[in-house]
Amino acid sequence: MLKLIADNYLWFLIFILLLNMTQRKYPHTRKKRLATIYIATLLMIFNIIIVVILTNDLNHYLAWPAFILVVFAGYIFRDRAWPFKRHCVECGKKLDFDHVLGYDDNLCSDCYDIRYPEEAAKKKEKAKKEVVEEIKEPFVCPDSVEDINWDEWEAEEKCVLAYVVKDDKVLLIDKKKGMGTGLVNGPGGHIELEETAIEAAYREFTEETGLTTKDLKYRGTLRFQFKDGISMIGYVYFGSEAEGTLKSSEETTPFWCDMDKIPYDKMWEDDPMWLPRAFEGEQFDGYFIFDGEKMLSSSLEFNSDETEEA
């Protein structure tokens, strides 16, 4: 077994170096590029020990302490040797290969564009220049979510919602202005260019309620396509802390509502479909088509596992 490892070590090293070269094309990938070097170094140390054992005809069981030592070293320096994650630390979405291998922030494409708006703008501009001639047809929104390719779908507007549940009450708002006027909703609003989604959630919560909170956690993502062409993605956060005095704003009037008296009949039509289960701790992904305030089609996916928030 040791001879097999020693004979094939070079191939492992070549594979890791190829990964390292691939990482060069991704911006903000210094930490992950160093990680592949750390991994290659640990493997090299283990291989050197194996070669020493084979060359001096030592007991092959000596490779086990060497293996344990290398694993222990990897564990001690795990932050440097293994910064790779499979899910976005911001919204919990599963990362594609590029964002697992590169991009130190471990963000999905949407969240990465939110954190680095200048790069997102340059990327869009570059894509436009590469298109020599493109005939754009008028947007026609289908009536069913099944007729939309959500993997290629892009939201023009990015928003957040923040629900705080405390003492068996949830903090809601009456919408006085803007989209959804006259409806009840959770505190929230648009994500500014310089913000991450969680930063926007804290800011919007305070602006619309006058209160502050510190423990918001990601719970789910909502995707809305409207018949008039508006497309919107919303990241939903839940918390249990709120301090301060309720204060109305130009757009909202906040109020505490008993959990068993939530006015679903005065809320957006999609809210009763996911909000009760979200209160129970389930994570979700929602897809909806609306014509104004009327819901035409919907699809929901639930997952009870919680996503760790950075």
Side-chain angles (χ1 to χ4, degrees):
M1 176 62 73
L2 295 187
K3 189 176 186 305
L4 179 64
I5 294 175
D7 290 342
N8 291 278
Y9 166 74
L10 182 60
W11 295 109
F12 286 109
L13 182 61
I14 291 174
F15 175 73
I16 293 174
L17 292 178
L18 287 174
L19 286 180
N20 186 268
M21 293 178 65
T22 302
Q23 290 172 309
R24 294 180 60 183
K25 67 180 182 180
Y26 307 120
H28 305 290
T29 312
R30 182 177 180 276
K31 185 177 180 180
K32 289 187 177 179
R33 288 197 66 198
L34 287 175
T36 55
I37 300 299
Y38 283 123
I39 294 171
T41 301
L42 290 173
L43 290 176
M44 181 181 68
I45 293 173
F46 183 59
N47 185 66
I48 291 173
I49 296 174
I50 289 177
V51 171
V52 170
I53 293 174
L54 293 174
T55 303
N56 294 277
D57 198 23
L58 301 177
N59 192 321
H60 287 196
Y61 284 107
L62 291 175
W64 281 108
F67 176 75
I68 294 173
L69 178 64
V70 170
V71 171
F72 181 73
Y75 177 78
I76 293 297
F77 298 101
R78 60 188 179 279
D79 291 338
R80 294 183 178 182
W82 198 259
F84 310 97
K85 293 185 180 297
R86 295 180 57 195
H87 294 84
C88 175
V89 298
E90 190 65 57
C91 70
K93 181 179 179 181
K94 187 174 181 179
L95 299 178
D96 55 30
F97 175 79
D98 289 346
H99 287 77
V100 171
L101 183 63
Y103 303 98
D104 290 341
D105 299 293
N106 286 306
L107 299 172
C108 65
S109 297
D110 291 337
C111 294
Y112 184 87
D113 289 346
I114 293 171
R115 181 167 294 185
Y116 301 102
E118 293 183 359
E119 289 187 17
K122 290 180 180 179
K123 183 169 60 177
K124 289 183 179 180
E125 188 64 26
K126 182 180 179 181
K128 290 180 180 179
K129 291 180 179 179
E130 291 177 350
V131 178
V132 179
E133 184 177 355
E134 181 180 358
I135 301 176
K136 293 186 178 180
E137 298 180 357
F139 175 78
V140 178
C141 178
D143 292 330
S144 173
V145 294
E146 296 179 355
D147 295 329
I148 295 179
N149 186 340
W150 293 99
D151 291 332
E152 297 181 0
W153 176 85
E154 292 186 6
E156 296 176 353
E157 301 183 26
K158 295 179 173 63
C159 307
V160 290
L161 286 171
Y163 291 91
V164 168
V165 180
K166 185 177 182 181
D167 299 328
D168 206 32
K169 295 179 181 291
V170 59
L171 186 58
L172 301 174
I173 60 168
D174 280 318
K175 190 74 171 179
K176 300 187 296 184
K177 184 179 179 182
M179 179 177 285
T181 298
L183 297 178
V184 174
N185 207 344
H190 288 82
I191 300 173
E192 302 295 339
L193 288 178
E194 71 279 4
E195 290 181 313
T196 61
I198 186 64
E199 290 172 344
Y202 282 119
R203 175 184 57 77
E204 287 286 351
F205 180 84
T206 299
E207 289 181 358
E208 295 198 340
T209 68
L211 306 182
T212 58
T213 183
K214 300 179 181 179
D215 67 339
L216 294 179
K217 300 293 183 182
Y218 170 80
R219 189 63 56 83
T221 300
L222 304 170
R223 300 163 184 83
F224 299 96
Q225 179 61 61
F226 290 83
K227 292 290 286 185
D228 61 4
I230 295 176
S231 55
M232 181 184 301
I233 188 168
Y235 303 105
V236 184
Y237 295 85
F238 274 68
S240 59
E241 296 182 6
E243 296 181 353
T245 303
L246 285 181
K247 181 179 178 181
S248 298
S249 68
E250 293 183 1
E251 296 186 1
T252 64
T253 298
F255 64 96
W256 288 101
C257 178
D258 292 333
M259 291 294 294
D260 59 354
K261 297 180 180 179
I262 296 175
Y264 287 112
D265 58 327
K266 297 180 180 179
M267 305 173 77
W268 286 90
E269 290 186 34
D270 64 285
D271 287 2
M273 301 175 64
W274 57 267
L275 196 49
R277 294 179 66 170
F279 282 131
E280 297 297 324
E282 291 190 67
Q283 290 191 355
F284 57 89
D285 278 287
Y287 308 84
F288 307 94
I289 294 178
F290 272 81
D291 186 2
E293 295 180 1
K294 180 176 179 57
M295 185 172 63
L296 302 180
S297 180
S298 65
S299 177
L300 277 164
E301 300 172 0
F302 290 94
N303 184 350
S304 59
D305 294 334
E306 292 194 3
T307 300
E308 183 180 352
E309 184 72 19

